Amino acid sequence: MKETDREAVATAVQRVAGMLQRPDQLDKVEQYRRREARKKASVEARLKAAIQSQLDGVRTGLSQLHNALNDVKDIQQSLANVSKDWRQSINTIESLKDVKDAVVQHSQLAAAVENLKNIFSVPEIVRETQDLIEQGALLQAHRKLMDLECSRDGLMCEQYRMDSGNTRDMTLIHGYFGSTQGLSDELAKQLWMVLQRSLVTVRRDPTLLVSVVRIIEREEKIDRRILDRKKQTGFVPPGRPKNWKEKMFAILDRTVTTRIEGTQADTRESDKMWLVRHLEIIRKYVLDDLIVAKNLMVQCFPPHYEIFKNLLSMYHQALSTRMQDLASEDLEANEIVSLLTWVLNTYTSAEMMGNVELAPEVDVSALEPLLSQNVVSELLDTYMSTLTSNIIAWLRKALETDKKDWSKETEPEADQDGYYQTTLPAIVFQMFEQNLQVAAQISEDLKTKVLVLCLQQMNSFLSRYKDEAQLYKEEHLRNRQHPHCYVQYMIAIINNCQTFKESIVSLKRKYLKNEVEEGMCLSQPSMDGTLDAIAKEGCSSLLEEVFLDLEQHLNELMTKKWLLGSNAVDIICVTVEDYFNDFAKIKKPYKKTMMAEAHRRIVVEYLRAVMQKRISFRNADERKEGAEKMVREAEQLRFLFRKLASGFGEDADGHCDTIVAVAEVIKLTDPSLLYLEVSTLVSKYPDIRDDHIGALLAVRGDATRDMKQTIMETLEQGPTQASPSYVPIFKEIVVPSLNVAKLLK
């Protein structure tokens, strides 16, 4: 207390010090005193009130405890009196055992009297119930059956309570009511028959289905009541619980499974389209059944049965089992496609589970897959393996068919633009297109895989195509009279290469939807190079055909006969033009290359004729005459190739200028200027070699040995650098060494 008083005094001092910090505050001391007095009085009043409240509570609690103690004493006394009375009445209870037995017997007799009428009328009720079942009056039949079972079960329950070990009496009762179980089984058969045909019954006579459901619901209630009574008495009547609700769903499940399996009307031996027909029938039946279940059957069952949800699950499981069975069979490639298309696409599409008439009860996204991913992968692997073999066989057969056409006596067909072609590209890409369309029905991933496979096999096929084209050429060269339309079919082969290239691009553009897929296919070997090689060899073989016919006339160039007035170049021009009229059937990219090669090669042959020193001019007049003839013939060739190149918009003069340049060297009349003329020639054509210059000087026929030597040595000292755009033309012209040796003697 002293400590508390000190703390109170200290607090008061601190507070007064806070209020009297300035001199002018001393005038308010009386005011402060009155305020603090009021506060003190208020606090004291609250304390008194609180203490008074606590005292009242303590007083009330003591009063209640006192009353409780008195009550406990009274109860203790009463219990003692009850215990005394109970000990005194034990003997009295033992003497009432006979009364208890009498009561039990009275209860049994009362039950017997109550069911006496039913007991005597059991045979009649059995007959009536049987008649009602046969007449289809199922609700009335079930009512009588319930009466029979109730009488039987009541008697057996009383007997069980009286003497559960008395099996003789229980057997007697059961035997008397023996027909009851038979009636129950017969009624159940009728119920199951109705349920098996429920999808038909609900359309024709929904009341019959409702009656069946009501009977099943009654039996469910009886089962629940008997199971509850079992907990009290331990007695369960024979045949209980019936569990007809579980059996009903089992019957529906078997019915659904049988309906799915029974839709296969054909086999592969009788109909190649058996699986397509089978799956289409399944689709139609399942969709129709679920629509009926959603719109009609739901109204015939209690909501807690969730009949549509259960039927949907049954159909889904039955379909999954059926698809597993089909997948385990030895399916062909087209059958695998049909199955996977149906499972992966049709099943969830608007044609089936996604149908608007089933929404919103059927959530397509919540349906489990009909086939596991492993089974789908196995089927796809089998399909890809079979497809690979089929594509290889189809391509081989297509090529063999095309090869037979190459030997025909009639020209190949032309397309709408007049270009020769065979049916090979159309056949190949029609086959690819069909397989890609089929794959696209299954999945985008499979479509990409099939496209990659097609391009891989196409690459291998083109190698075989190239080999066959080469064999075709070699066979023709052994006998140029056979095949009769060799040139036309070789043109068709060349054009096919362009068609193949365009078709490959079109195929990729159509079936590759994004850059990732594009990258997958770009990683495959490029076929453009192979196709260009086939076309190049084809063009080369055609040019070889041309130059075989020109060989005799090319050999006349730069000879005495040529100088005296040979018309070899006229014939060459006519022959080339004639051939290129046929070559007009070649598509532009390859025709352009072929024309340029023919131009270059004729000029090369002309220059080779010069370099082979077939003639040596004896005087200036002959040199002039020969050079002018060369210029005229160069102009003839220039005119020819300008004419041939008119459709390409390109200059065809370049190579012919080489003949003119060589002619200028031959035509030169002043030998002292020969070095300058030759230097100009070398600067324009850096690939020209010493042996070419030597051969050219030998053709002139007037260059001395020293002059030749000086020109050679001077040209060797300053080799000319070729421009990047220069195309060598002298490089492939070989000068016979014998001529050069003679030249330097």
Side-chain angles (χ1 to χ4, degrees):
M1 291 296 290
K2 291 180 180 180
E3 184 66 27
T4 304
D5 290 342
R6 283 197 297 271
E7 289 180 0
V9 170
T11 303
V13 169
Q14 185 178 2
R15 189 167 182 184
V16 170
M19 291 188 291
L20 302 176
Q21 291 181 355
R22 298 187 305 275
D24 60 333
Q25 291 178 329
L26 292 173
D27 297 337
K28 299 180 181 179
V29 168
E30 189 61 32
Q31 181 181 347
Y32 291 155
R33 184 182 291 114
R34 287 195 300 272
R35 187 176 66 186
E36 292 301 322
R38 286 195 301 273
K39 288 183 179 180
K40 180 180 177 184
S42 175
V43 171
E44 288 176 350
R46 289 201 300 272
L47 285 172
K48 288 179 181 180
I51 291 171
Q52 184 64 39
S53 175
Q54 292 292 331
L55 290 174
D56 291 344
V58 171
R59 187 181 296 111
T60 302
L62 289 173
S63 175
Q64 290 176 348
L65 287 173
H66 180 72
N67 293 334
L69 180 61
N70 292 333
D71 291 342
V72 169
K73 289 180 180 179
D74 293 342
I75 292 170
Q76 186 178 13
Q77 182 62 39
S78 299
L79 287 174
N81 294 335
V82 169
S83 177
K84 181 179 178 182
D85 293 342
W86 178 74
R87 283 193 296 271
Q88 292 176 354
S89 63
I90 290 177
N91 295 331
T92 305
I93 293 173
E94 291 292 335
S95 64
L96 293 177
K97 184 176 184 302
D98 294 340
V99 176
K100 178 182 178 183
D101 294 341
V103 169
V104 172
Q105 187 176 10
H106 179 272
S107 174
Q108 293 172 343
L109 290 172
V113 170
E114 183 180 351
N115 292 296
L116 191 61
K117 180 180 179 181
N118 292 337
I119 291 172
F120 284 115
S121 61
V122 165
E124 182 182 354
I125 295 175
V126 169
R127 287 193 299 272
E128 291 177 355
T129 305
Q130 185 68 45
D131 292 342
L132 290 171
I133 292 174
E134 292 175 356
Q135 294 168 13
L138 302 182
L139 277 175
Q140 298 175 23
H142 185 252
R143 173 58 62 187
K144 291 188 175 295
L145 177 62
M146 288 172 62
D147 292 340
L148 287 172
E149 290 180 339
C150 183
S151 298
R152 181 198 65 183
D153 296 346
L155 290 172
M156 294 183 76
C157 182
E158 290 299 330
Q159 177 62 35
Y160 183 85
R161 289 172 59 189
M162 183 177 67
D163 185 5
S164 60
N166 189 348
T167 57
R168 184 180 65 82
D169 290 346
M170 295 288 280
T171 303
L172 179 64
I173 297 172
H174 187 270
Y176 186 75
F177 287 91
S179 302
T180 304
Q181 186 61 42
L183 289 174
S184 178
D185 295 340
E186 184 64 28
L187 179 61
K189 289 181 182 179
Q190 296 298 319
L191 300 183
W192 308 150
M193 288 176 62
V194 173
L195 287 170
Q196 287 171 357
R197 304 179 67 254
S198 57
L199 290 168
V200 177
T201 303
V202 75
R203 300 177 189 179
R204 297 179 180 176
D205 187 9
T207 56
L208 180 58
L209 183 59
V210 172
S211 298
V212 170
V213 176
R214 288 180 61 188
I215 291 171
I216 293 172
E217 189 66 8
R218 286 177 186 172
E219 291 294 337
E220 283 294 302
K221 291 179 180 179
I222 295 172
D223 282 347
R224 287 194 296 270
R225 187 171 65 248
I226 287 176
L227 291 175
D228 290 340
R229 189 171 65 182
K230 177 186 175 183
K231 296 176 182 178
Q232 300 174 359
T233 64
F235 174 73
V236 178
R240 292 288 180 182
K242 292 184 179 180
N243 295 322
W244 277 8
K245 182 179 178 181
E246 292 182 10
K247 292 179 181 178
M248 175 195 76
F249 282 114
I251 292 295
L252 289 174
D253 192 29
R254 286 199 299 272
T255 302
V256 168
T257 301
T258 303
R259 185 164 175 78
I260 297 297
E261 293 176 349
T263 55
Q264 183 175 345
D266 303 298
T267 62
R268 183 182 296 117
E269 290 73 19
S270 61
D271 186 356
K272 291 295 183 182
M273 300 297 290
W274 69 277
L275 184 58
V276 174
R277 290 170 55 83
H278 181 37
L279 294 174
E280 177 58 20
I281 293 172
I282 289 177
R283 183 199 66 78
K284 186 176 183 304
Y285 280 12
V286 171
L287 180 59
D288 291 347
D289 291 354
L290 290 178
I291 290 174
V292 170
K294 176 178 178 289
N295 296 330
L296 300 178
M297 285 188 68
V298 169
Q299 302 174 19
C300 300
F301 289 79
H304 66 274
Y305 275 50
E306 295 183 320
I307 189 64
F308 181 75
K309 180 180 178 181
N310 282 291
L311 278 174
L312 177 63
S313 177
M314 292 174 193
Y315 273 100
H316 182 78
Q317 185 57 45
L319 287 172
S320 179
T321 302
R322 184 55 183 159
M323 296 305 114
Q324 293 278 359
D325 293 341
L326 290 173
S328 64
E329 296 185 14
D330 187 16
L331 297 177
E332 298 177 355
N334 62 314
E335 294 170 348
I336 292 175
V337 169
S338 299
L339 180 63
L340 289 178
T341 302
W342 197 92
V343 168
L344 300 178
N345 299 323
T346 304
Y347 182 62
T348 56
S349 70
E351 297 179 356
M352 199 169 177
M353 293 302 186
N355 192 284
V356 292
E357 294 192 52
L358 297 180
E361 283 77 2
V362 178
D363 182 3
V364 173
S365 61
L367 294 174
E368 293 292 327
L370 290 178
L371 292 176
S372 68
Q373 188 58 46
N374 290 337
V375 175
V376 172
S377 298
E378 289 176 4
L379 288 173
L380 289 176
D381 291 342
T382 302
Y383 172 72
M384 290 299 292
S385 176
T386 305
L387 181 61
T388 301
S389 302
N390 289 344
I391 287 178
I392 292 173
W394 289 333
L395 289 174
R396 184 178 293 111
K397 183 178 180 181
L399 183 54
E400 290 298 324
T401 303
D402 205 56
K403 280 172 55 183
K404 292 179 181 178
D405 293 343
W406 297 352
S407 301
K408 287 183 177 179
E409 296 294 322
T410 56
E411 294 183 355
E413 295 181 357
D415 64 10
Q416 58 185 3
D417 297 320
Y419 297 119
Y420 285 137
Q421 63 176 7
T422 66
T423 58
L424 182 62
I427 292 173
V428 169
F429 282 93
Q430 182 180 8
M431 176 191 64
F432 287 170
E433 184 83 19
Q434 290 172 352
N435 284 289
L436 284 166
Q437 289 176 357
V438 168
Q441 295 174 5
I442 299 176
S443 69
E444 288 294 311
D445 182 58
L446 180 63
K447 178 203 69 176
T448 305
K449 288 182 179 179
V450 171
L451 178 57
V452 171
L453 171 63
C454 291
L455 295 179
Q456 286 175 336
Q457 295 306 321
M458 183 69 186
N459 198 59
S460 302
F461 165 77
L462 290 178
S463 296
R464 295 194 298 273
Y465 192 50
K466 180 180 179 182
D467 294 339
E468 294 297 338
Q470 182 64 27
L471 292 173
Y472 184 55
K473 168 190 170 182
E474 293 172 359
E475 179 185 354
H476 172 71
L477 291 177
R478 285 194 291 270
N479 179 6
R480 292 187 62 201
Q481 303 303 316
H482 181 79
H484 179 71
C485 295
Y486 167 77
V487 171
Q488 290 80 358
Y489 276 100
M490 185 56 75
I491 291 173
I493 291 172
I494 295 169
N495 289 338
N496 284 350
C497 293
Q498 181 65 20
T499 304
F500 276 128
K501 290 172 72 172
E502 293 170 354
S503 299
I504 291 169
V505 171
S506 174
L507 205 64
K508 288 183 179 180
R509 185 182 299 115
K510 182 175 181 179
Y511 289 99
L512 295 179
K513 302 300 182 185
N514 54 55
E515 294 180 358
V516 175
E517 293 180 350
E518 182 72 26
M520 290 177 63
C521 285
L522 287 178
S523 63
Q524 302 305 317
S526 173
M527 286 166 279
D528 287 354
T530 305
L531 288 167
D532 287 340
I534 296 172
K536 183 178 179 181
E537 289 183 7
C539 291
S540 177
S541 66
L542 290 178
L543 287 178
E544 192 170 342
E545 190 79 5
V546 175
F547 280 92
L548 284 173
D549 287 348
L550 296 180
E551 184 176 5
Q552 175 186 351
H553 308 291
L554 290 171
N555 288 335
E556 286 186 15
L557 298 176
M558 302 305 293
T559 61
K560 288 290 184 181
K561 182 179 180 181
W562 169 79
L563 186 61
L564 294 174
S566 169
N567 60 348
V569 171
D570 295 333
I571 297 174
I572 289 171
C573 290
V574 170
T575 304
V576 170
E577 186 173 6
D578 183 55
Y579 267 105
F580 269 87
N581 286 334
D582 291 336
F583 297 162
K585 305 287 187 178
I586 300 176
K587 290 187 176 180
K588 193 171 183 178
Y590 298 126
K591 179 184 176 184
K592 175 182 175 181
T593 304
M594 191 173 178
M595 184 276 297
E597 177 61 20
H599 184 186
R600 188 196 65 80
R601 189 167 171 182
I602 285 179
V603 171
V604 167
E605 292 298 328
Y606 200 108
L607 294 174
R608 182 178 285 115
V610 175
M611 299 305 167
Q612 287 180 347
K613 195 178 172 289
R614 297 173 181 173
I615 187 173
S616 179
F617 298 113
R618 292 174 295 182
N619 52 53
D621 292 337
E622 282 191 357
R623 284 192 292 274
K624 180 180 179 182
E625 183 183 353
E628 290 176 350
K629 187 175 179 65
M630 290 176 66
V631 171
R632 289 195 303 273
E633 290 176 343
E635 289 301 323
Q636 278 185 269
L637 295 174
R638 190 196 310 275
F639 177 79
L640 170 66
F641 286 107
R642 278 181 179 175
K643 181 179 179 181
L644 295 178
S646 60
F648 304 107
E650 290 194 358
D651 183 16
D653 294 348
H655 296 309
C656 292
D657 289 342
T658 310
I659 299 175
V660 175
V662 170
E664 291 297 325
V665 175
I666 295 174
K667 184 179 180 182
L668 188 66
T669 56
D670 187 356
S672 63
L673 299 176
L674 192 57
Y675 168 74
L676 293 176
E677 196 67 38
V678 172
S679 298
T680 303
L681 182 66
V682 172
S683 64
K684 290 177 65 176
Y685 305 100
D687 63 322
I688 197 167
R689 300 189 301 272
D690 293 350
D691 52 353
H692 294 138
I693 300 300
L696 184 55
L697 295 176
V699 171
R700 276 185 58 87
D702 64 341
T704 63
R705 188 174 182 278
D706 292 338
M707 186 185 297
K708 297 173 185 176
Q709 192 69 33
T710 301
I711 292 173
M712 295 286 189
E713 292 174 354
T714 306
L715 293 175
E716 288 176 359
Q717 293 174 2
T720 305
Q721 294 294 326
S723 66
S725 61
Y726 175 69
V727 179
I729 192 168
F730 286 93
K731 185 177 180 180
E732 58 185 284
I733 299 175
V734 178
V735 178
S737 58
L738 180 60
N739 290 349
V740 176
K742 288 182 178 180
L743 178 67
L744 296 176
K745 285 183 180 179

